[in-house]
Amino acid sequence: MVQNLKTDVLVIGAGPAGSMTAKWAAKNGARVLMIEKRQEIGSPVRCGEGMSKSWLPEVGITPGAWVNLEVEGARIFSPREQVFEINEKHAGNEVGYVVERDGFDKALAIDAANAGTEIRLKTAATGILKEGGRVAGARVKQFGEPFEIRATVTIGADGFESQVGRWAGLPTNIALRDMDTCLQYRMTNVDCDTRYCDFYLGEVAPGGYVWVFPKADGLANVGIGVQLSKVRGMADPRTYLDAWIAKHPAYSKGKTIDVVGGGVSISQPVKQSVTDGLMLVGDAARMIDPLTGGGIANGCIAGKICGEVAAQAVHAGDPSRAFLDRYEKGWRAKLEEKLYRNWYAKEKLCTLSDATFDKIIDALQGVRLEKLSVHNILKAVHDKYPDVTKEFEAFL
Amino acid sequence: MVNKKSLHIESSGQLCIYCGACVGICPLNCIYLDETRITFDERVCTRCEICVKACPVGAIEIG
């Protein structure tokens, strides 16, 4: 019989958002227990592994062995495969590193452990505990043995397929147009330019894009996201990705050494991320950037705030929704405006035809943008194809 | 007795890659992922077929 446990802060899920939350809660003096259902933190990888880097210092992450490659910029390919290059300075560091995601997750968990977090693997949450109307921990199974963990504050950092939020009645459901179904091959022996992360737009990936993120030693992550509302048959991501690779000799000559799949939310963030005794963070709170599909930066930025507020709630002896609301306000102040803006941009981009994408990228040929912004891009497009920008007047 | 179509999740590993895409999108939260096993609650499932669309490798069939 396993003994029931008590802790100040229970973090469910040891991905980047969970580890960041755990680290900052522990650093601020709370007793923290982080549980992870898998047997290995960070594995199997479910990620394209492209990551921006400007945000790392503010959340206290030091680049380590998990950096596989540093890229100079991104290239956007139109359906005709004209290229628009965004260098790092103009991209606002949207891309920066291609990482070893399993190593990254482990490094963050080690940071959390060094700050005093206790970690238990092979420990899955099976339900939440409630006490006087508030969430008070979770029922778990460690190596199959059921027991309870009572906590002052519980954190749902359980990713895209979050159960914790649903158990607590938080509105995490997403619409078909707000999810991409993704598939990626890690390939070896490919010819790609290791200076860039590449994105291919249009009907090659309806409602999403094909990406090629280079890695060292002739490796690359070649993947696709397809918007669920545009899926027509079974296994569309595989069908589209295989078709795209077949048309690109630089990649069709490669060999796949790993297949990665997963769901990515491209939605607005959750309307409510806290309730009495509980906070949601990262993909579980739908913090993924709906335009890029990137979730690591936002999860870590929110995770730091989440951990700090969790510790404050413990010290104040007050895990009420009213108290935890400072987390809700904190992460929204930092992330929400961009999440909504990018959601609207995504909604618009999803409606564009290949011909329109071609015109946009064509209009940007040879244009030197002082600063990369939606406004500047549209202005450049307007100069060459005024008819195209009619659809975008709302952004101008 | 409602006559429901049959739903089959191929989770023996021949197709399924245990990515959890079906789990995250299920509007009724009736699909469960346990490392290398995916199950669903026959009683709750309405055969809305959203998980069929969400599966990137076509491991879910409704007949």
Side-chain angles (χ1 to χ4, degrees):
Chain A
M1 178 67 194
V2 187
Q3 251 194 328
N4 291 337
L5 297 172
K6 262 187 97 162
T7 186
D8 293 337
V9 179
L10 170 64
V11 179
I12 299 167
S19 283
M20 282 304 279
T21 304
K23 171 183 160 177
W24 286 96
K27 260 174 126 49
N28 285 282
R31 269 187 314 156
V32 185
L33 170 57
M34 177 163 69
I35 63 170
E36 167 58 48
K37 69 178 176 184
R38 295 168 169 184
Q39 66 189 36
E40 180 181 345
I41 288 173
S43 177
V45 171
R46 268 196 233 150
C47 184
E49 301 185 305
M51 194 173 95
S52 58
K53 61 187 181 191
S54 57
W55 55 277
L56 291 168
E58 77 170 271
V59 296
I61 299 176
T62 315
W66 44 265
V67 176
N68 177 282
L69 201 70
E70 195 165 354
V71 291
E72 291 172 17
R75 291 187 302 191
I76 316 285
F77 291 76
S78 69
R80 284 200 281 143
E81 302 207 354
Q82 265 188 311
V83 186
F84 175 56
E85 185 188 319
I86 304 167
N87 65 34
E88 204 178 279
K89 207 173 89 207
H90 286 163
N93 295 319
E94 276 308 333
V95 283
Y97 292 140
V98 180
V99 303
E100 299 291 341
R101 185 53 206 279
D102 48 344
F104 178 77
D105 285 20
K106 285 189 185 78
L108 264 54
I110 290 167
D111 277 355
N114 289 344
T117 301
E118 190 192 334
I119 301 172
R120 293 196 180 211
L121 301 183
K122 275 302 226 191
T123 307
T126 57
I128 49 171
L129 300 172
K130 284 216 160 186
E131 200 172 78
R134 76 168 182 91
V135 177
R139 282 191 296 279
V140 306
K141 273 188 183 174
Q142 182 176 15
F143 290 106
E145 289 227 50
F147 61 101
E148 294 180 356
I149 303 173
R150 300 216 153 250
T152 309
V153 183
T154 303
I155 313 291
D158 50 338
F160 172 73
E161 68 264 36
S162 175
Q163 301 293 299
V164 175
R166 292 173 160 198
W167 291 330
L170 291 171
T172 57
N173 273 4
I174 39 189
L176 291 188
R177 69 174 198 281
D178 285 334
M179 173 183 167
D180 265 18
T181 167
C182 302
L183 192 70
Q184 170 181 277
Y185 302 143
R186 177 174 297 187
M187 303 185 84
T188 184
N189 293 92
V190 297
D191 286 334
C192 61
D193 194 327
T194 53
R195 292 173 301 171
Y196 301 101
C197 283
D198 290 342
F199 300 83
Y200 294 79
L201 303 177
E203 281 302 310
V204 291
Y209 58 79
V210 169
W211 67 83
V212 178
F213 295 166
K215 300 191 81 167
D217 304 318
L219 267 70
N221 289 335
V222 183
I224 190 169
V226 178
Q227 194 180 19
L228 228 56
S229 51
K230 296 200 168 155
V231 165
R232 286 188 288 265
M234 280 174 71
D236 267 12
R238 192 157 56 89
T239 310
Y240 282 109
L241 184 57
D242 288 346
W244 187 89
I245 289 171
K247 282 194 192 138
H248 291 79
Y251 304 105
S252 58
K253 75 186 192 69
K255 309 280 180 282
T256 299
I257 56 166
D258 192 12
V259 179
V260 179
V264 173
S265 65
I266 48 170
S267 62
Q268 298 177 2
V270 281
K271 295 276 181 285
Q272 183 190 338
S273 65
V274 303
T275 184
D276 293 312
L278 177 77
M279 296 187 272
L280 292 184
V281 65
D283 292 7
R286 311 301 179 214
M287 289 175 180
I288 290 177
D289 185 315
L291 193 58
T292 64
I296 300 172
N298 289 350
C300 288
I301 292 166
K304 178 168 185 277
I305 304 168
C306 190
E308 289 165 349
V309 172
Q312 290 162 11
V314 167
H315 295 316
D318 180 6
S320 68
R321 182 180 169 188
F323 190 97
L324 301 180
D325 200 44
R326 43 177 95 176
Y327 161 66
E328 181 105 68
K329 288 204 169 73
W331 74 257
R332 286 189 195 280
K334 274 202 180 298
L335 306 174
E336 189 171 54
E337 192 193 331
K338 190 176 177 196
L339 285 171
Y340 277 104
R341 189 158 23 93
N342 285 357
W343 182 81
Y344 282 113
K346 176 235 31 173
E347 288 283 287
K348 190 70 214 171
L349 286 174
C350 287
T351 66
L352 300 185
S353 65
D354 276 7
T356 306
F357 275 128
D358 280 331
K359 280 183 179 173
I360 293 172
I361 301 296
D362 184 59
L364 294 171
Q365 298 300 306
V367 175
R368 286 198 66 82
L369 296 171
E370 283 300 305
K371 186 176 170 293
L372 188 77
S373 69
V374 174
H375 183 86
N376 284 349
I377 288 177
L378 290 178
K379 232 171 130 283
V381 176
H382 183 78
D383 291 343
K384 192 159 178 183
Y385 299 108
D387 57 312
V388 171
T389 46
K390 270 195 203 117
E391 299 179 53
F392 294 93
E393 266 154 17
F395 289 93
L396 276 168
Chain B
M1 168 96 186
V2 184
N3 195 6
K4 285 180 176 175
K5 288 191 257 182
S6 75
L7 176 87
H8 176 66
I9 303 181
E10 191 296 307
S11 71
S12 71
Q14 288 182 52
L15 286 169
C16 179
I17 52 176
Y18 314 108
C19 72
C22 56
V23 179
I25 195 67
C26 175
L28 293 164
N29 201 23
C30 73
I31 307 179
Y32 314 101
L33 168 62
D34 183 8
E35 296 234 350
T36 55
R37 205 165 61 100
I38 289 195
T39 51
F40 74 101
D41 191 329
E42 179 77 37
R43 296 160 305 172
V44 178
C45 173
T46 62
R47 313 301 192 262
C48 72
E49 308 194 16
I50 288 173
C51 57
V52 179
K53 290 185 168 207
C55 179
V57 292
I60 307 179
E61 269 188 300
I62 290 206

